Amino acid sequence: MSATLHSIAGSRSFRVLWLMHELGEPVEVVLYQIMDGSLQQEGFKALSPARRVPALEIDGRVLIESGATLQYLCETRDGHGLMPAVGSDERADWLQWLHYAETLGAGIQNLNMQHLFLPKPEMRSLTVMGIETKRLAIALKGVEKALADGRDYLLASGFSAADVMMGFTLNAARHYVRFDGFPHLPAYQARLEARPAYQAAQAAEGAQQFYTQDFYELPEA
C-alpha cells in the first residue's frame, strides 16, 4: 500500500516528498492551498492537530513533523545510504544537521509571515524583519563553514537525508539573504537541485505557492 502525503507546494512537505523519491518509495500527493481554508477541513484536522503540512500517512500511522518523518523513513527503509548507522562516527553530526535545518527554518517562517502573509503593510515590524534577517544570515554561516573544507555535502561520507532537510531550507532562505557572501552555498544548492529525485519531487508537487519574487528587500523605515 502506498503512502499518502498531504502537502502544500513549496512548504516543508517538499522535504518528505524528496526523500520518498530518493528512497524509491511510492507516494500519493494530496495538495492543499495555504490561504483557501482547506487546512481547516475536519478531515485534515484529524490528521494534523496543528493544521499544518506535512502530514504523511504511512505504515498505519500519521507523521506530521518533517525532521521526525525523515528520520523515521531512514530508520524503517533498507538499502540506502541516507543515514549513518547508530554508533557510527557521523551519527551525531547527521542528527545535528537534520535538526539545524529548523534553526534556519524558524527564522524563515517569521520572515514569511512578515513579508508574505500579514494582510496590511502597517502590521509589519521593521525591527522583527531586520533581526530575523540577521539571525538567518548568521545561521547560514554554519552551513557555509561545514562546506568550506571542500566537501560536497554536509557529511564527509556524502549525500544524506540531512542534505534533504537543508536543501529545502536553503531554497527558501535565498529569498531573504543574498548568497553572494557565501562562496560555497550556491554550488551546494545546485548539486542538490540537480539530483533526479529532487527534480522528480518538484514535478510531482508543482509550482510553489509562497514567493512572487526572487528576493525580498528589507523595507525602508
Side-chain angles (χ1 to χ4, degrees):
M1 181 183 237
S2 66
T4 300
L5 175 63
H6 300 263
S7 173
I8 292 174
S11 74
R12 287 172 171 87
S13 52
F14 182 76
R15 293 166 169 164
V16 179
L17 185 58
W18 177 7
L19 187 68
M20 294 288 280
H21 279 83
E22 292 283 354
L23 293 168
E25 289 281 318
V27 59
E28 176 189 0
V29 180
V30 179
L31 289 171
Y32 296 76
Q33 301 292 317
I34 195 166
M35 300 295 284
D36 69 351
S38 56
L39 298 179
Q40 307 303 318
Q41 297 172 1
E42 291 302 320
F44 183 75
K45 286 193 283 186
L47 294 173
S48 176
R51 305 173 194 179
R52 298 177 64 184
V53 295
L56 179 66
E57 297 182 78
I58 193 168
D59 300 341
R61 65 181 71 243
V62 181
L63 300 169
I64 59 174
E65 286 291 334
S66 61
T69 300
L70 265 63
Q71 184 172 348
Y72 173 83
L73 290 170
C74 287
E75 290 177 350
T76 57
R77 271 61 192 170
D78 297 323
H80 62 83
L82 299 172
M83 176 187 72
V86 175
S88 68
D89 290 342
E90 287 190 319
R91 177 70 175 190
D93 292 335
W94 181 78
L95 288 169
Q96 183 137 281
W97 284 121
L98 196 72
H99 298 289
Y100 188 76
E102 276 304 280
T103 295
L104 280 73
I108 292 167
Q109 179 174 290
N110 291 335
L111 288 167
N112 284 347
M113 181 60 68
Q114 292 287 326
H115 282 276
L116 308 178
F117 297 127
L118 291 178
K120 299 178 181 179
E122 59 267 27
M123 297 173 69
R124 297 173 178 171
S125 167
L126 297 182
T127 300
V128 169
M129 297 169 86
I131 289 172
E132 292 295 348
T133 300
K134 289 179 181 178
R135 291 179 64 190
L136 180 58
I138 289 169
L140 284 167
K141 290 180 181 178
V143 185
E144 173 71 19
K145 183 178 179 181
L147 300 168
D149 63 355
R151 68 179 62 176
D152 287 339
Y153 301 104
L154 293 173
L155 299 182
S157 59
F159 179 80
S160 74
D163 297 297
V164 173
M165 283 287 290
M166 192 63 71
F168 164 78
T169 304
L170 292 182
N171 196 302
R174 66 181 176 181
H175 291 285
Y176 300 119
V177 176
R178 297 192 188 278
F179 283 6
D180 300 356
F182 300 91
H184 300 91
L185 290 187
Y188 171 56
Q189 187 174 10
R191 282 191 291 274
L192 297 178
E193 294 180 0
R195 294 185 67 84
Y198 180 101
Q199 296 175 12
Q202 198 167 55
E205 187 180 66
Q208 59 86 18
Q209 298 182 22
F210 294 83
Y211 306 105
T212 58
Q213 56 194 68
D214 291 336
F215 188 80
Y216 291 82
E217 300 281 358
L218 284 173
E220 295 184 3

